[in-house]
Amino acid sequence: MNKKFLSTALCGALALSALAGCSSGQSASSAPASSAAASSAVSSAPAESGENISLRFMWWGGETRHKATVEALDLYTEQNPGVRIEYEYGGWDGYFDKLLTQLAGNNAPDIVQLSYTNASEYVVRDQLAPLDSYIESGLLRTDKLNQTLLDTYKIDGSYYAVPSGVNVQLLYYNQTMFDEFGISYPTSGMTFDEYYAKAKELNDAARAAGREDIWGMSAYTNALDVNFQRVLIDFGGQLWNDDLTAAAFNSPEGIQAIEYVKKPLDEGFCPPPEISASNPAGVTDFALGRVGMFIDNATSAAGLAETADFTLGMELAPFGNNKKVTWYQASQIFVITKQSANPEAAAKVIDYMLNDEAAGKILAYERGIPVNEDIRAASVEGKSEIEKKELELVDGAAEFTGDGVPMPFPPGYLDVHSEFERLQEAVMYGQSTPEEMMNSLESFANQTIGKFN
């Protein structure tokens, strides 16, 4: 990948709720009267010397994430009195614009939370510090992290990010609905074809009972990097060329993947898009009790269990027909900017956030499921039965990861993701064909990625 610095700041971050999980917040600091816009110039003395070190940590999220993060970092500074951390936090809207402005002004924070998809944009601009020396020395421990997930952030031979939390796709099902129609529950280990057959079985049973208002499953659409990529890899294709400089999805395998995703709609065992479009904002067909099965991230479990007026069941999402296309996905990532005057101290803070037991208890699931397998196992204490099941499935997914590995993300990915959603919606409404969609998306993706080359 070409690493030349782009003089024109290009922000690929769009307000994609599926990638964000955010809300507004305030700017704060671990010390009184600090400014969120303060200079990033700080002492370069190591913490062991007893001299003061100042770091700035920037993230987005909701109030519960802010509160937990500040509490965890306050504990770190209490244990490391030579370190002072300024907190810069808020909502998703405008987050990346603010970060690019700070980078352009040589006023960037030391530690930054990024979307799990956009690290490469900052690597291309030469704005991130490589983490290899800290990982190799053990200063930033990654031995309890999933290696396939970690390797997603190995760009041009170096690691530039570490996941702050982990997600895996689960199959959620309406146990009450399955009981009503006498259909056996779905199970972990099903293929895509078996998942479709189960949805059709439930759908047919509902129609036989005169129910026209429910369907077997939700459409498996919208996520280019997860849903589409899983099916694409299963068919033997890939999203990008090997050096991430161009799209590779406009292929026979890509066409097959779009057609396969559309099959439940064509055969009538998922709701028509106009039905789903009538839902209240942010409410799924599954939450409304309109479909029997739904695939989503593991971190959705607690919210679904709390709001559903039916008994919730869950298993691992289907593995694929040809490959076990199951992988861990980061919820967000942590990076160190190249402008940091104390990258080693920053690496120590990130290590604490990922690997410290006390920090793990404070942070809980505010950044997804704990990425450290030991912290994740310990987190089961005091959890509800649904959360225990969630953790059991997340841990169990490790057995199947690695067969069908996702690719890293090229610069400009978030823009491509948004265009994919727009074009796929047209296919689902019958306004274009899979071939037309792939041609248009390829042209858009190559133009977008080319801006960074």
Side-chain angles (χ1 to χ4, degrees):
M1 181 184 297
N2 188 344
K3 287 189 179 181
K4 69 180 181 182
F5 180 85
L6 295 184
S7 59
T8 302
L10 299 171
C11 181
L14 303 176
L16 301 173
S17 61
L19 301 177
C22 59
S23 67
S24 64
Q26 301 295 322
S27 184
S29 172
S30 61
S34 67
S35 170
S39 170
S40 61
V42 295
S43 169
S44 60
E48 302 84 62
S49 70
E51 297 182 46
N52 291 332
I53 288 178
S54 289
L55 297 170
R56 289 165 55 211
F57 196 150
M58 181 177 180
W59 71 88
W60 78 83
E63 287 304 316
T64 55
R65 179 183 296 172
H66 301 333
K67 181 179 178 181
T69 305
V70 169
E71 183 180 348
L73 292 174
D74 281 350
L75 178 59
Y76 181 84
T77 56
E78 180 183 324
Q79 296 172 346
N80 297 270
V83 179
R84 176 175 176 268
I85 303 176
E86 294 181 12
Y87 311 136
E88 297 180 26
Y89 57 79
W92 169 266
D93 290 343
Y95 180 87
F96 292 98
D97 290 333
K98 176 183 176 182
L99 175 60
L100 285 175
T101 298
Q102 291 177 327
L103 287 163
N106 197 35
N107 185 35
D110 300 87
I111 305 167
V112 177
Q113 173 186 301
L114 292 180
S115 163
Y116 68 90
T117 65
N118 66 348
S120 59
E121 295 185 21
Y122 298 88
V123 174
V124 167
R125 298 185 186 112
D126 197 28
Q127 292 171 331
L128 301 186
L131 305 178
D132 303 77
S133 62
Y134 311 123
I135 293 173
E136 290 166 5
S137 69
L139 187 68
L140 176 52
R141 294 164 290 170
T142 60
D143 55 304
K144 297 297 183 179
L145 278 58
N146 178 267
Q147 189 63 42
T148 300
L149 176 58
L150 188 64
D151 286 346
T152 305
Y153 303 102
K154 191 172 188 178
I155 303 170
D156 291 339
S158 293
Y159 291 102
Y160 285 93
V162 291
S164 62
V166 68
N167 254 323
V168 69
Q169 285 207 312
L170 298 184
L171 190 168
Y172 297 97
Y173 64 95
N174 184 327
Q175 188 173 313
T176 304
M177 187 183 295
F178 274 84
D179 289 341
E180 178 183 352
F181 294 108
I183 307 298
S184 61
Y185 302 146
T187 59
S188 293
M190 291 195 303
T191 65
F192 283 138
D193 281 350
E194 289 169 339
Y195 174 55
Y196 279 10
K198 180 67 67 176
K200 190 174 186 305
E201 180 185 9
L202 179 60
N203 203 82
D204 290 347
R207 297 297 176 270
R211 294 292 302 275
E212 301 289 335
D213 58 339
I214 58 177
W215 288 265
M217 60 176 281
S218 289
Y220 190 52
T221 57
N222 293 337
L224 170 63
D225 57 297
V226 184
N227 301 358
F228 174 72
Q229 185 173 201
R230 292 182 77 215
V231 179
L232 177 64
I233 290 174
D234 193 47
F235 278 120
Q238 61 185 56
L239 283 178
W240 326 105
N241 62 7
D242 290 341
D243 62 2
L244 304 182
T245 58
F249 47 70
N250 190 8
S251 62
E253 294 82 8
I255 301 298
Q256 279 183 291
I258 290 295
E259 291 173 340
Y260 191 81
V261 168
K262 192 170 180 283
K263 182 178 178 180
L265 176 62
D266 292 338
E267 298 189 6
F269 54 90
C270 79
E274 57 270 20
I275 295 291
S276 301
S278 68
N279 294 351
V283 181
T284 64
D285 291 315
F286 184 74
L288 292 172
R290 189 179 286 157
V291 299
M293 294 184 292
F294 171 62
I295 295 175
D296 198 10
N297 290 327
T299 46
S300 298
L304 286 170
E306 182 178 348
T307 59
D309 61 358
F310 52 81
T311 303
L312 179 69
M314 65 176 74
E315 297 290 345
L316 287 173
F319 289 161
N321 296 322
N322 306 296
K323 299 179 179 179
K324 289 184 173 63
V325 283
T326 297
W327 56 72
Y328 286 117
Q329 171 186 304
S331 46
Q332 305 94 32
I333 56 177
F334 289 139
V335 300
I336 300 173
T337 64
K338 216 167 188 182
Q339 294 177 18
S340 174
N342 283 295
E344 182 173 311
K348 290 179 180 179
V349 173
I350 294 176
D351 176 81
Y352 164 81
M353 296 288 282
L354 301 183
N355 300 308
D356 185 86
E357 290 184 14
K361 288 181 179 179
I362 295 169
L363 294 168
Y365 295 171
E366 287 302 325
R367 282 190 167 78
I369 308 300
V371 67
N372 178 306
E373 62 185 33
D374 290 344
I375 304 295
R376 187 163 66 241
S379 72
V380 71
E381 183 180 350
K383 293 296 187 293
S384 67
E385 290 304 311
I386 201 77
E387 289 172 319
K388 289 177 181 177
K389 176 66 173 179
E390 173 189 2
L391 286 169
E392 176 188 325
L393 291 170
V394 170
D395 280 335
E399 179 183 347
F400 306 105
T401 58
D403 179 16
V405 177
M407 297 188 73
F409 305 95
Y413 170 76
L414 287 175
D415 287 325
V416 180
H417 180 110
S418 182
E419 184 69 1
F420 172 86
E421 289 189 333
R422 187 185 72 81
L423 293 170
Q424 188 181 47
E425 182 175 303
V427 171
M428 299 299 282
Y429 274 98
Q431 297 169 347
S432 70
T433 67
E435 290 82 2
E436 290 169 339
M437 174 187 173
M438 288 289 98
N439 287 335
S440 295
L441 187 64
E442 178 185 46
S443 176
F444 180 89
N446 287 343
Q447 183 179 15
T448 301
I449 297 169
K451 295 175 183 178
F452 294 85
N453 292 332

